[in-house]
Amino acid sequence: MRVLMRDQILGSVYIFGGDVNHLNGIYEEQSKELEMWKDSPGEVSTYDWRDYLGDRRYQRAYVDFFEDQLVLGGYDWHKIVDQYLFDGQEPLVNCLIAGLGHPLIHLGYAYELSNKELAMEALGLATTSYNYLHKYLDDTAYTKPSTYSTTSLLEILGKVADDKRLDGFLAKGVGDVPKSLFQAHEEFVLEHWNAWDIIDPKKQFADSQAAATALLVATHESPGDLYDFFLVHLLTSSHAVRILLPFVPAKFHVNLIRQWWFLALTVYISQGRPPIKLVRITEYPLNDVDWNKIDKRALKNDSSIDAHYVKALRAMKEAAGTWGDKDQFYLKAATRFGDEFNGWGGFGP
């Protein structure tokens, strides 16, 4: 996982315009924390590649397998990704949110940087992170009418924050969506998940990126507090969805967006449902900060070697560039995040 984080921050800094010295510095710093890659218990083949899904011991075997397939496929990495991600009755694409969305995030970088090595790593991560969450997308029985409906994710998140039925549940810092959430509250989770009525996918996906930004920045109370490490993944995984949608077959588009929403909803609940107060963004003073200054904060700041800090700033900048920045929402969010960031929290009660 640390190798993937290193690759992702290098990609972000490169896109931000970081020079060779900066990239080398990050590479050296991030490499200090790497662990030796352990051999897998066995190899993976075309006949049994699904037999070891979710078994992290096979990470190296899966990456070796996909790299071999890449060679056999004439280095057409798009073809290999399509074959293993979208084929079958329970396609791998329906579980990219496992592992806190890291398979989704890494695959997004592969397409954004057009990099075959990152793509094969992403497939390896998707296979070893695969878990029970796939059933909520694969089994249509879980998609059913809710007790209410709305086109607004922020409205749903407000209802979730006020839902007394979820009181007492807290799973901060688990690292993935905990099974205990569904054992205790599956009915309520599905009620809120299915409440999102997608009638205009493009507009509502754009709105979801604003919601992802709000989940990180508008839940943060004061400058002295640490930002939530788990909520930042909702923003960076949303960025990945935006990158991937043009490359994903149309029949998977809505499911991919709803899959991200499932991750956002469950992580928000697990992290204690902190109130989302948009005024923390909309009324934040810019003090002459513009996107050029945000770029400098990403590249020349004490936090510039922190992968998630850099990726969060870039996700907000890219969202603003994609959808426009009405009332400078994204710029204000990035400014507040940059001003107040002093580390990550959210790891425990």
Side-chain angles (χ1 to χ4, degrees), residues 236-283:
T236 52
S237 58
S238 173
H239 172 75
V241 172
R242 184 186 67 78
I243 296 298
L244 291 173
L245 281 173
F247 302 99
V248 170
K251 67 178 182 178
F252 293 108
H253 282 188
V254 171
N255 256 13
L256 185 60
I257 295 170
R258 293 186 75 239
Q259 185 179 170
W260 172 84
W261 164 228
F262 196 82
L263 176 68
L265 173 62
T266 51
V267 170
Y268 179 63
I269 294 172
S270 297
Q271 292 303 104
R273 299 174 291 146
I276 300 171
K277 297 182 180 180
L278 291 179
V279 294
R280 291 170 176 163
I281 296 175
T282 58
E283 296 184 6

Side-chain angles (χ1 to χ4, degrees), residues 59-206:
Q59 184 182 59
R60 185 168 187 171
Y62 270 117
V63 173
D64 288 344
F65 167 70
F66 289 123
E67 288 180 343
D68 288 344
Q69 295 303 300
L70 181 64
V71 175
L72 294 173
Y75 291 95
D76 185 348
W77 66 269
H78 293 85
K79 178 181 177 181
I80 302 302
V81 171
D82 288 352
Q83 177 182 348
Y84 287 97
L85 205 61
F86 304 119
D87 285 355
Q89 292 185 336
E90 295 184 346
L92 208 58
V93 69
N94 282 342
C95 201
L96 293 180
I97 59 170
L100 201 58
H102 280 114
L104 182 61
I105 294 167
H106 208 67
L107 188 63
Y109 274 95
Y111 277 92
E112 195 167 13
L113 296 168
S114 190
N115 186 284
K116 61 182 182 296
E117 288 82 13
L118 293 182
M120 298 306 102
E121 289 174 358
L123 287 177
L125 188 55
T127 49
T128 54
S129 299
Y130 192 87
N131 64 18
Y132 71 97
L133 292 173
H134 78 91
K135 69 179 182 180
Y136 294 104
L137 278 300
D138 284 328
D139 189 344
T140 57
Y142 291 104
T143 297
K144 52 192 175 183
S146 179
T147 57
Y148 71 100
S149 67
T150 176
T151 58
S152 169
L153 287 187
L154 286 174
E155 181 181 339
I156 298 174
L157 290 168
K159 290 181 180 293
V160 172
D162 295 334
D163 192 339
K164 301 298 183 184
R165 300 172 299 178
L166 297 169
D167 286 355
F169 182 84
L170 190 68
K172 278 190 174 184
V174 170
D176 203 350
V177 180
K179 284 187 176 181
S180 58
L181 173 59
F182 299 98
Q183 291 168 349
H185 300 302
E186 181 181 71
E187 177 186 354
F188 309 142
V189 172
L190 294 178
E191 177 184 328
H192 292 300
W193 182 51
N194 286 309
W196 194 28
D197 186 15
I198 302 179
I199 58 177
D200 186 345
K202 183 177 179 179
K203 180 183 183 303
Q204 287 175 256
F205 176 63

Side-chain angles (χ1 to χ4, degrees), residues 29-63:
E29 189 65 29
Q30 293 285 325
S31 296
K32 293 177 182 177
E33 300 181 9
L34 299 183
E35 299 175 357
M36 292 295 294
W37 206 359
K38 297 178 181 179
D39 288 335
S40 299
E43 296 182 348
V44 173
S45 73
T46 54
Y47 302 101
D48 62 5
W49 74 273
R50 291 190 66 95
D51 291 352
Y52 310 105
L53 292 179
D55 191 336
R56 294 180 184 273
R57 298 176 304 161
Y58 281 83
Q59 184 182 59
R60 185 168 187 171
Y62 270 117
V63 173

Side-chain angles (χ1 to χ4, degrees), residues 100 102 105 229-238 263 308:
L100 201 58
H102 280 114
I105 294 167
F229 178 78
F230 299 90
L231 295 182
V232 73
H233 286 79
L234 307 183
L235 176 58
T236 52
S237 58
S238 173
L263 176 68
H308 296 91

